[in-house]
Amino acid sequence: MATLAQQAPEIVVDFLPLNGTDHVEFYVGNARQAAYFYRTAFGMKLVAYAGPETGRRDRASYVLQQGKVRFVLTTALRADSDIARHVAKHGDGVRAIALWVDDAASAWRETTARGATSVQEPTTLSDDNGSVVISSIAAYGDTLHTFVERKNYTGTFFPGYRAMPEDTVARPVGLLHIDHIVGNVGWNAMNEWVDFYSKVMGFQLYQHFDDNDISTEYSALMSKVMANSTGYVKFPINEPAEGRRKSQIEEYLDFYDGPGVQHLALATHDILATVSSLQQQGVNFLTVPHSYYTELQERVGKIDEPLDELERLGILVDRDNEGYMLQIFTQPVEDRPTLFYEIIQRKGSRSFGKGNFKALFEAIEREQDARGNL
Ligand code: FE2
């Protein structure tokens, strides 16, 4: 119709343009030893350090990198510290999901104007290599989103950090980038946080799963995936749902003492090689019963990877109408049953493993049934 053709196209301006995830900062009890774990088990390279030797009196931070995955492990040097209190309450866990932006002051202004709680006003850090601007807002629980503007910086990480020599301890496993970061929030709080990502950060609902998708007779959870306009940044938000037994989300909330990051999904181009290396280097994964694989071909159709290899490593497969994806979950990487990792390889699919939740949980329950324990 003519009237439609004459209308100007609607131009949607993204008020929070994100280039991707800059880094994830963890508060841990002993950063030196945690760094050794991530270097030897996950193969991340130690690239920068800041601590007493670089003039920081209250904390030490180790910056680790593999592909575009960058972690900062920070520990307190004294008891009277927000870092120490965070660790006492939550155990080792994610403090900040830092997002890479071109303008950290604008990111802070746009989000706080839409209701975000400011944690740090835009602050410029400088050294001989230039400057970085950072700002922060509060997210779920004690988790933050930090905005990092580094276009005027040529140093290794941040001003004040010392670049480290080539890491000969690290054994890289082919990790490429962060695919998604999942938050667990409390009972009935999922939609509140979906609204936060939508209104405050301009994200959109990407996918959602209800307890019909992710439930068995015994446990359930609800999940909505929020993504920014480019799709580079994806944050699924889980809340517990009623089941006959305590759900994995409730267990997390109990032991983390509140909402927080449940898992980080790390992407690879070759999940068979990546998971083989991780297993050899001591990373423990969830195991899958044989019955999962006897039904796999029928469920997902033809795939490139040999089924026996997938079964040997315990890798799961899911398909949607765009392709398929392979995924596997580690056990929690600390003594509290809280944070864990997912390794993911996408072959066209944008799925988060919806088909696997049910198949995996049901497969496990069939095994229980066979043992007379269901
Ligand atoms: Fe995931």
Side-chain angles (χ1 to χ4, degrees):
M1 286 185 343
T3 50
L4 280 180
Q6 284 160 7
Q7 282 176 349
E10 190 187 355
I11 297 169
V12 179
V13 177
D14 185 356
F15 62 83
L16 184 62
L18 303 175
N19 300 323
T21 306
D22 189 89
H23 66 270
V24 176
E25 182 171 25
F26 301 75
Y27 280 176
V28 300
N30 184 336
R32 184 177 301 207
Q33 289 189 8
Y36 186 73
F37 170 77
Y38 280 105
R39 292 162 74 199
T40 55
F42 280 81
M44 303 192 66
K45 289 188 173 179
L46 177 62
V47 295
Y49 167 81
E53 300 86 344
T54 66
R56 279 167 119 199
R57 306 308 300 167
D58 68 331
R59 66 187 68 188
S61 294
Y62 295 73
V63 183
L64 305 167
Q65 192 150 359
Q66 186 172 177
K68 292 180 186 166
V69 182
R70 181 157 53 194
F71 292 166
V72 179
L73 306 177
T74 296
T75 197
L77 299 179
R78 295 177 187 283
D80 184 18
S81 144
D82 287 342
I83 301 163
R85 281 184 284 274
H86 193 279
V87 172
K89 182 173 167 66
H90 302 298
D92 289 5
V94 171
R95 168 59 169 170
I97 299 168
L99 302 167
W100 176 28
V101 297
D102 289 335
D103 186 339
S106 164
W108 181 86
R109 269 196 318 273
E110 295 288 346
T111 51
T112 54
R114 288 170 171 81
T117 302
S118 172
V119 176
Q120 184 173 19
E121 292 186 14
T123 306
T124 303
L125 312 169
S126 303
D127 68 9
D128 294 345
N129 295 311
S131 61
V132 168
V133 185
I134 58 171
S135 59
S136 295
I137 59 169
Y140 45 81
D142 288 328
T143 314
L144 313 181
H145 287 311
T146 302
F147 301 114
V148 179
E149 171 189 331
R150 51 172 71 258
K151 61 179 186 280
N152 298 313
Y153 193 63
T154 57
T156 303
F157 175 60
F158 272 11
Y161 279 73
R162 174 187 292 171
M164 299 300 285
E166 178 66 21
D167 190 343
T168 54
V169 170
R171 298 182 290 233
V173 298
L175 300 176
L176 301 173
H177 60 262
I178 294 175
D179 185 273
H180 58 273
I181 300 177
V182 181
N184 281 344
V185 300
W187 287 97
N188 306 313
M190 178 178 67
N191 285 330
E192 175 193 327
W193 288 101
V194 164
D195 283 351
F196 169 88
Y197 283 105
S198 162
K199 292 191 181 119
V200 172
M201 297 184 67
F203 283 35
Q204 287 171 351
L205 182 65
Y206 190 79
Q207 287 181 22
H208 70 96
F209 313 103
D210 62 23
D211 47 358
N212 292 321
D213 297 318
I214 316 177
S215 76
T216 65
E217 197 178 345
Y218 295 106
S219 61
L221 66 90
M222 310 245 272
S223 189
K224 286 185 176 171
V225 182
M226 301 302 289
N228 81 318
S229 63
T230 60
Y232 293 161
V233 177
K234 294 186 284 291
F235 294 148
I237 306 292
N238 295 335
E239 71 176 16
E242 287 292 349
R244 276 169 60 184
R245 304 242 173 95
K246 188 185 229 180
S247 80
Q248 51 166 315
I249 311 301
E250 281 178 272
E251 185 190 36
Y252 175 100
L253 295 169
D254 243 21
F255 282 87
Y256 198 72
D257 199 5
V261 171
Q262 180 209 39
H263 76 265
L264 291 92
L266 308 176
T268 171
H269 280 323
D270 184 351
I271 197 165
L272 295 174
T274 297
V275 172
S276 282
S277 299
L278 288 167
Q279 287 186 356
Q280 279 161 26
Q281 292 171 189
V283 176
N284 295 317
F285 291 90
L286 294 184
T287 54
V288 192
H290 176 69
S291 57
Y292 176 89
Y293 295 94
T294 58
E295 293 157 17
L296 182 62
Q297 192 104 59
E298 195 183 325
R299 191 166 61 80
V300 301
K302 187 171 162 23
I303 55 172
D304 302 332
E305 295 72 16
L307 278 183
D308 58 340
E309 273 294 281
L310 295 176
E311 180 168 357
R312 186 177 67 80
L313 296 166
I315 294 166
L316 312 173
V317 189
D318 194 23
R319 182 181 282 284
D320 60 18
N321 47 21
E322 295 171 294
Y324 68 98
M325 57 87 96
L326 305 108
Q327 66 182 165
I328 188 169
F329 298 94
T330 72
Q331 291 180 0
V333 293
E334 54 289 292
D335 292 297
R336 298 192 197 195
T338 53
L339 179 80
F340 61 88
Y341 289 87
E342 173 182 352
I343 308 298
I344 183 167
Q345 181 179 4
R346 294 190 181 281
K347 297 184 111 171
S349 167
R350 296 192 293 164
S351 164
F352 288 79
K354 172 174 156 177
N356 279 329
F357 283 106
K358 214 170 170 86
L360 175 61
F361 292 171
E362 285 178 353
I364 289 169
E365 287 171 3
R366 267 197 302 279
E367 297 284 306
Q368 281 180 271
D369 194 26
R371 292 189 294 269
N373 292 335
L374 193 67

